[in-house]
Amino acid sequence: MDPRIVLLGTGTCQLDERRRASSVLIELDGLRVVYDLGRGIADRLADLGLRQDDVEHIVFSHFHPDHISDLIPYLHAAAWSRTDPRSRDLHLYGPRGLEVQMMRLLSLFGPDTLGREHWNLHLHEVRGDEIEIEGRSFEFLDLPPAGNRGLRFRAGETTVGLTGDSNFHDSAIAFLSGVDLGIFDSGHLTDDDIVELASASNSPRLVCSHVYRPLDLDALGQRARRRGFSGNLEMGSDLQVFPL
């Protein structure tokens, strides 16, 4: 597979015909990782032609429903699909509390409903600031306020940062500073916050995701450029592809 990022969903908890909940597919030299799996994302994976065994690693930024809720239909299909049953183990990664939260979620239906004997579900609760997946390292950094962890990594000469569900603060600026492609939560930010985040981080390419409201990005980009921003500020859309 060619290295790329695919925005599976750029929305929030809002029901929007154009946007599913926030999620990103990462494909890097044979490694495939899904970052968050909220409402509608299981269908987005099917839209891309990905079968159950094509996805072995899912990272959760935090435990809000719009970031984890499609795990239930995804596991249900893994166990009971007549055309695409799962045969490979599935690994879930997340911040402190992952094991408790997943056990609570899965207990609503029971292991006989969501699991089968021919594959296992592995939970990896990340205590530090790094995740290693099949020998590749990802920074997994705290971005308040929801217990959220952003994901930052290198793909060749490109550094990518995914903020997940993050408010505006100094740690978000530091997280996006130096990245070549930043996909950030614009839904919890004011217009002034977006301008400040762009101008202070000065990332070459910033993409708005986790979208709650319409944004005038031409006006915001002009304001940011007057403050020294030299990159591109753009709106993300579902199933948008970024080659790496």
Side-chain angles (χ1 to χ4, degrees), residues 176-203:
L176 292 172
S177 296
V179 306
D180 301 292
L181 171 62
I183 297 168
F184 72 99
D185 173 359
S186 63
H188 292 106
L189 276 59
T190 66
D191 285 0
D192 289 344
D193 291 338
I194 292 172
V195 170
E196 177 65 19
L197 185 65
S199 60
S201 67
N202 204 26
S203 172

Side-chain angles (χ1 to χ4, degrees), residues 32-34 37 45 51-60 70-79 86-93 98 102 106 114-116 118-124 133-134:
R32 183 177 287 117
V33 177
V34 174
L37 196 73
L45 292 171
R51 298 177 67 80
Q52 280 283 340
D53 286 346
D54 291 330
V55 176
E56 298 182 61
H57 304 282
I58 299 172
V59 176
F60 293 115
D70 247 30
L71 182 62
I72 294 300
Y74 193 69
L75 292 180
H76 194 207
R86 188 169 195 93
S87 64
R88 293 184 179 180
D89 289 359
L90 180 64
H91 297 262
L92 306 183
Y93 308 79
L98 173 73
M102 289 301 105
L106 298 176
L114 300 178
R116 302 299 292 269
H118 47 274
W119 60 273
N120 294 305
L121 184 66
H122 302 275
L123 302 180
H124 305 271
I133 303 176
E134 295 188 11

Side-chain angles (χ1 to χ4, degrees), residues 13-86:
C13 63
Q14 292 181 162
L15 302 181
D16 186 331
E17 71 276 10
R18 299 169 302 163
R19 301 183 188 277
R20 303 297 180 265
S22 182
S23 178
V24 180
L25 171 66
I26 304 161
E27 295 182 335
L28 303 172
D29 302 322
L31 175 63
R32 183 177 287 117
V33 177
V34 174
Y35 178 60
D36 285 336
L37 196 73
R39 173 190 53 81
I41 301 306
D43 286 338
R44 286 289 192 235
L45 292 171
D47 290 339
L48 293 175
L50 294 176
R51 298 177 67 80
Q52 280 283 340
D53 286 346
D54 291 330
V55 176
E56 298 182 61
H57 304 282
I58 299 172
V59 176
F60 293 115
S61 62
H62 65 302
F63 307 120
H64 283 176
D66 57 331
H67 294 259
I68 68 170
S69 60
D70 247 30
L71 182 62
I72 294 300
Y74 193 69
L75 292 180
H76 194 207
W80 295 102
S81 173
R82 301 295 178 88
T83 59
D84 183 26
R86 188 169 195 93

